[in-house]
Amino acid sequence: MQAFSDLADQYKESMDFAAVYIAEAHPLEFNAIKQATTCSERMQTAEDMKSDCNLKFPILVDMMDNSVSLRYAAFPERLYVVLDGTVVYAGGAGPFFYSIKELEGFIQNYTSNI
């Protein structure tokens, strides 16, 4: 999350950044985070993550039906750029095809053309 946060800070004047908190990919790993069973629990976990990681961008929260995660094939993690309601960049599914560097290249190309 730190690399994404750094990227958001670097390009905050050019675009808005947000994260969508979806179902926990590693519930109870290291006894740190349990899988939320209510929307309130999921929202609290997202808020805790924002605070613990000192994130400066909004954290949106998927509903308990996981509709955003399912629609965007986001589980366990994925990067997207949305421009005027249209997906203009869809990164690979994490963790193996999740690439902050690839996203940064897209952003650099995009910002050099505006």
Side-chain angles (χ1 to χ4, degrees):
M1 186 57 85
Q2 186 60 51
F4 182 77
S5 183
D6 292 346
L7 194 63
D9 191 50
Q10 181 179 351
Y11 289 98
K12 64 185 173 192
E13 301 302 320
S14 302
M15 56 189 57
D16 297 322
F17 284 78
V20 179
Y21 189 84
I22 59 175
E24 182 56 44
H26 306 286
L28 300 176
E29 186 173 290
F30 309 111
N31 295 318
I33 303 171
K34 68 177 192 155
Q35 190 66 267
T37 58
T38 67
C39 195
S40 295
E41 288 176 352
R42 191 176 277 182
M43 290 172 65
Q44 185 60 57
T45 302
E47 187 60 38
D48 292 346
M49 179 185 72
K50 183 175 182 174
S51 176
D52 292 348
C53 296
N54 196 30
L55 303 176
K56 305 296 185 210
F57 49 83
I59 305 293
L60 310 173
V61 179
D62 197 2
M63 300 302 291
M64 295 308 293
D65 65 1
N66 300 311
S67 56
V68 172
S69 179
L70 293 169
R71 181 176 179 130
Y72 291 94
F75 191 83
E77 58 190 347
R78 201 142 193 196
L79 299 165
Y80 284 93
V81 175
V82 180
L83 179 63
D84 298 327
T86 301
V87 173
V88 294
Y89 169 86
F96 301 110
F97 302 105
Y98 175 98
S99 175
I100 293 288
K101 290 250 183 238
E102 182 181 282
L103 174 62
E104 184 174 18
F106 175 87
I107 292 171
Q108 287 172 345
N109 186 50
Y110 174 78
T111 57
S112 69
N113 292 320
I114 56 172

